[in-house]
Amino acid sequence: MESAWQYLEENNISGWLVIAQFWIALLPRLYFSLLGPGSQKGPDGKSIWDSKAPRDYPSRLSRARAQLGHKLAEKIIRSEAAVNNALENLPLFAIAVLAANLGNDDIWQINSWTIRYIYLRVAYTYLYIFAQDNPRVPGEARSVVWLASIAVLGYMFLLPFREGIFV
């Protein structure tokens, strides 16, 4: 039986990880909006999250702020911002994976940098939603993790140049 390391050395999973990152990006919305507190009834008797009018969610959330409590409402708002941020970065990630795959034969390197990016995005999302209120987590932690994820993307764009493909 081959180990996970051997599998990652022999099989390029970076394309599948782009799809996985899309679903990972939606997890905060799934938890906070559909399954969690966003599924509660608002002051008007309707669910705060309405799949028929998803763009009305922020305004419905602000109307239900008193009912939810300030801290919970802030977490839900930050979760939506984290989802939006992840979806905004997804095309850049997909293009970086494509660039890394252009002429680069080192499958392990492509896979490992792709996985690093996903780990950093998960950490960023956690810090964005849950660590804002934690006095033990410095305010700069989220920015440092974001910057690290952008550095990983930059490195992935440079992988074909390192291999001498475009030189």
Side-chain angles (χ1 to χ4, degrees):
M1 183 174 165
E2 71 179 336
S3 71
W5 301 117
Q6 288 173 318
Y7 185 83
L8 291 175
E9 287 176 355
E10 299 168 3
N11 300 288
N12 189 343
I13 61 168
S14 60
W16 292 106
L17 291 174
V18 172
I19 297 167
Q21 176 58 25
F22 170 75
W23 292 106
I24 291 169
L26 293 177
L27 286 177
R29 181 173 290 161
L30 178 69
Y31 174 72
F32 280 103
S33 302
L34 304 175
L35 303 176
S39 63
Q40 295 178 12
K41 302 288 183 201
D44 57 359
K46 296 180 182 177
S47 176
I48 297 169
W49 171 262
D50 183 7
S51 60
K52 294 176 185 170
R55 294 196 186 261
D56 294 341
Y57 183 55
S59 63
R60 295 176 67 78
L61 184 58
S62 65
R63 287 194 300 268
R65 185 183 283 261
Q67 175 186 339
L68 291 172
H70 179 70
K71 277 191 164 193
L72 180 59
E74 287 298 314
K75 279 186 181 176
I76 295 172
I77 289 168
R78 286 194 303 263
S79 76
E80 274 301 298
V83 167
N84 292 337
N85 184 279
L87 292 176
E88 290 163 1
N89 279 289
L90 189 63
L92 189 59
F93 174 56
I95 294 169
V97 168
L98 181 64
N101 279 288
L102 269 175
N104 190 347
D105 295 334
D106 190 354
I107 294 171
W108 164 253
Q109 197 170 39
I110 297 168
N111 287 337
S112 66
W113 285 101
T114 305
I115 291 168
R116 286 179 186 131
Y117 177 80
I118 291 176
Y119 280 148
L120 287 167
R121 289 305 304 184
V122 168
Y124 175 82
T125 301
Y126 176 81
L127 289 170
Y128 201 141
I129 298 170
F130 298 104
Q132 295 287 102
D133 303 328
N134 189 341
R136 292 179 287 172
V137 178
E140 298 82 15
R142 186 180 83 192
S143 298
V144 168
V145 171
W146 177 83
L147 188 60
S149 72
I150 295 301
V152 167
L153 288 180
Y155 186 79
M156 290 174 71
F157 275 111
L158 295 176
L159 281 175
F161 294 100
R162 274 193 71 230
E163 297 293 322
I165 302 303
F166 295 115
V167 178

